[in-house]
Amino acid sequence: MIRNILIVILTVAVVGAGVWGYQEHQDKNTILINAENNYQRAFHDLSYQMDLLHEKLGGTIAMNSSKSLSPALADVWRISSDARSQVGQLPLTLLPFNKTEEFLSNIGTFSYRTAVRNLDDEPLSKDEQKTLKNLYKQSGKIKDELRKVQHLTLKNNLRWMDVELALASGKETADNTIIDGFKTVEKHAEGYDEKNLQNPSVVSFQKRDENYEHLKGEKISKNDAIALAKKYSGINQPKKVEVTENRKGSSFGFYNVVLANDRGHEATMDVTKKGGYPIWFIDTREVSNQQISLNEAMNKADDFLKRHDYKDLEMSESIQYDSVGLFTYVTNQDGVRIYPESIKVKVALDNGQIIGFAADDYLKGSKKRKLPEPDLTLEEAQAKLNPDLKVLENRKAVIVNNLGNEVLCYEFMGTMDRDTYRMYINAENGVEEKVDKLKNAEPVYEDVL
């Protein structure tokens, strides 16, 4: 009798384990299929956008009327932005593809700057016409190469997940049709650098995409990187330590450090090799119900930044998501907010632990700036605003505008109807550089019948 009961129990256990294993396998397959579908969609959208971009650029070359040219160039700007977005969704982070992204940025910057000016008073110069023709010619080459990759992908039923695995494992040197195709695309874009661009508007945008070459300090070791990760995460006695160096082709050197303890905390951090500057870190532990206020969490973020020697920072924005507070800090130089130098700090509202930190923008933009004197007074700048806006705060700020240039502005915070806005008026010429509508408090739906 007991033997039969044991057999039944074992049978149920084996079947249960099999069902669980099968379900886990199905869940994993579902995730992989979803990722593959997203990659396929992004790639085919990119191919379509490059076709459309080439066609639109060809149309602008033949145009002679400013009424036609301005909206056409605005379309080119929009399409190039969409194409860059699709590139960002492909698993190419470990494959050098920066020249192609720069090329798309160049098209967007040139077309935007040209579209927004008065072409009746300032028509295209000969150099700009030459630039437009060069952009058209180059986009055609890139379009053709993408079409070849697309044809082979469909013909041979190739998977983007294989590309991701090949790049992650460092086996991209092996025969891979998609990777080889994108390397060819990159070669076509390589020939189109600053020397080919006789237009300062394009060059200025490229200079915005600097990495960390300006950082000071000696090269750190893997052990130094581990020590920094322990300091930032608070995991002093990890049971697991993993350190990975950047692969060939990265535009800067860094270590990726993973620490885990036996209490469910796993922290990941990227650290620059030069100088040992933390780029970002995140603790993936589960956050429970809120126990502290957003203001208390802000104090925790303030203390964290001070402990790690970040100076002259001012909290510019705070947002709460469920039981997590997200705080954005910017440099304050002589009373002026420097928005290109920003740091984000994520705080768990269950116990005040710092569970996220991002200093990418801060490291790229950090420098001592010589701030110009504004040509407009505060009153003159405020007169440029919508008269229905009720201004609550004002200050000076440096922002990066749509053309990739840093500009000194008057920043105004105000309300109109039930919405809150942050608006930036150029302190030199009175141009309305940027308008941000701030998020309203999320409604609570669970109590709605």
Side-chain angles (χ1 to χ4, degrees):
M1 182 67 178
I2 295 175
R3 182 172 175 273
N4 291 336
I5 293 173
L6 288 174
I7 290 173
V8 171
I9 292 173
L10 287 172
T11 302
V12 171
V14 169
V15 171
V19 171
W20 175 82
Y22 175 77
Q23 185 63 46
E24 185 173 283
H25 177 73
Q26 289 294 97
D27 291 344
K28 184 178 180 181
N29 279 344
T30 301
I31 293 171
L32 292 174
I33 291 170
N34 184 56
E36 178 66 28
N37 289 341
N38 287 334
Y39 290 151
Q40 292 284 356
R41 177 197 51 76
F43 172 60
H44 294 301
D45 282 353
L46 173 61
S47 297
Y48 169 74
Q49 297 293 349
M50 284 305 303
D51 276 358
L52 198 58
L53 185 62
H54 180 65
E55 181 183 328
K56 286 287 184 181
L57 282 169
T60 60
I61 292 174
M63 289 178 182
N64 192 39
S65 167
S66 61
K67 290 183 179 179
S68 301
L69 188 56
S70 288
L73 286 171
D75 270 347
V76 169
W77 172 60
R78 175 184 57 79
I79 296 166
S80 64
S81 178
D82 288 343
R84 285 190 73 199
S85 174
Q86 303 308 329
V87 171
Q89 295 178 51
L90 293 173
L92 301 172
T93 52
L94 298 175
L95 179 69
F97 207 59
N98 56 305
K99 290 295 181 182
T100 304
E101 291 185 280
E102 280 181 15
F103 174 72
L104 291 170
S105 297
N106 294 339
I107 293 177
T109 307
F110 174 82
S111 57
Y112 180 87
R113 186 184 286 268
T114 309
V116 296
R117 83 179 190 224
N118 189 330
L119 291 173
D120 287 327
D121 296 338
E122 191 180 352
L124 288 179
S125 66
K126 288 184 178 180
D127 282 342
E128 287 174 327
Q129 290 173 353
K130 182 180 178 181
T131 297
L132 197 56
K133 289 178 180 178
N134 285 337
L135 292 171
Y136 170 67
K137 181 180 178 181
Q138 201 73 14
S139 67
K141 292 180 181 179
I142 292 175
K143 176 206 71 165
D144 290 342
E145 291 301 328
L146 283 174
R147 279 300 184 191
K148 289 178 185 177
V149 177
Q150 186 180 43
H151 169 71
L152 292 171
T153 301
L154 294 172
K155 178 182 177 182
N156 300 318
N157 196 25
L158 301 176
R159 299 192 316 162
W160 277 92
M161 291 303 297
D162 294 333
V163 175
E164 187 172 41
L165 291 172
L167 291 170
S169 62
K171 296 178 180 179
E172 64 270 24
T173 54
D175 181 29
N176 186 298
T177 301
I178 295 178
I179 293 176
D180 293 343
F182 270 83
K183 284 181 178 179
T184 304
V185 172
E186 183 73 352
K187 284 181 181 178
H188 279 297
E190 272 181 4
Y192 204 86
D193 55 18
E194 286 187 18
K195 294 178 183 177
N196 299 103
L197 300 170
Q198 305 299 322
N199 189 301
S201 67
V202 179
V203 177
S204 66
F205 188 92
Q206 290 178 328
K207 290 180 179 177
R208 193 188 76 174
D209 282 333
E210 296 173 351
N211 285 307
Y212 310 112
E213 291 86 354
H214 63 285
L215 297 180
K216 298 178 181 179
E218 300 296 323
K219 183 178 179 180
I220 67 168
S221 66
K222 288 185 178 181
N223 287 334
D224 294 329
I226 293 170
L228 271 170
K230 288 180 179 179
K231 184 179 178 182
Y232 272 68
S233 66
I235 301 177
N236 297 314
Q237 295 181 326
K239 68 174 184 179
K240 180 180 82 171
V241 178
E242 295 178 357
V243 183
T244 308
E245 295 187 54
N246 61 285
R247 295 191 181 279
K248 184 180 178 182
S250 174
S251 51
F252 63 95
F254 66 94
Y255 295 109
N256 176 264
V257 184
V258 178
L259 304 177
N261 62 17
D262 54 5
R263 297 192 303 277
H265 289 238
E266 181 169 293
T268 304
M269 172 182 275
D270 271 6
V271 185
T272 64
K273 288 182 178 178
K274 184 179 179 182
Y277 296 91
I279 302 170
W280 62 269
F281 97 84
I282 187 167
D283 188 319
T284 56
R285 78 167 176 86
E286 186 175 344
V287 180
S288 55
N289 294 332
Q290 180 175 352
Q291 298 295 327
I292 67 173
S293 68
L294 195 62
N295 188 64
E296 290 173 306
M298 183 190 70
N299 292 333
K300 298 282 187 181
D302 288 345
D303 291 341
F304 173 83
L305 292 172
K306 288 175 183 176
R307 284 200 316 272
H308 295 291
D309 298 323
Y310 292 97
K311 300 175 181 178
D312 301 321
L313 293 176
E314 176 183 354
M315 203 273 290
S316 65
E317 187 176 27
S318 63
I319 303 174
Q320 180 173 343
Y321 298 99
D322 296 325
S323 297
V324 172
L326 180 64
F327 303 92
T328 302
Y329 291 79
V330 297
T331 296
N332 186 314
Q333 180 180 327
D334 302 324
V336 179
R337 283 186 177 181
I338 312 296
Y339 280 100
E341 295 183 26
S342 65
I343 291 179
K344 294 186 184 295
V345 182
K346 198 174 179 181
V347 183
L349 300 181
D350 55 358
N351 63 4
Q353 180 196 358
I354 308 299
I355 57 173
F357 168 85
D360 184 63
D361 290 337
Y362 180 83
L363 294 176
K364 288 180 179 179
S366 184
K367 62 182 179 181
K368 190 68 175 178
R369 291 165 173 81
K370 185 177 180 180
L371 301 176
E373 289 295 323
D375 291 338
L376 272 67
T377 64
L378 174 65
E379 291 74 19
E380 289 171 331
Q382 188 164 336
K384 305 286 184 180
L385 299 173
N386 188 314
D388 293 331
L389 184 77
K390 182 181 178 182
V391 176
L392 304 176
E393 298 177 17
N394 65 76
R395 62 178 63 85
K396 292 177 187 175
V398 171
I399 68 168
V400 176
N401 65 11
N402 287 333
L403 300 174
N405 299 322
E406 289 191 3
V407 289
L408 177 66
C409 294
Y410 287 103
E411 175 187 345
F412 297 95
M413 181 86 76
T415 58
M416 191 163 60
D417 296 327
R418 295 184 177 181
D419 295 316
T420 304
Y421 296 88
R422 185 183 286 139
M423 311 183 75
Y424 299 91
I425 303 297
N426 191 305
E428 179 183 357
N429 55 28
V431 169
E432 190 176 71
E433 293 283 1
K434 195 175 180 183
V435 176
D436 290 333
K437 179 183 175 298
L438 303 187
K439 289 184 178 181
N440 296 324
E442 289 288 335
V444 178
Y445 295 104
E446 60 185 18
D447 296 329
V448 178
L449 298 177

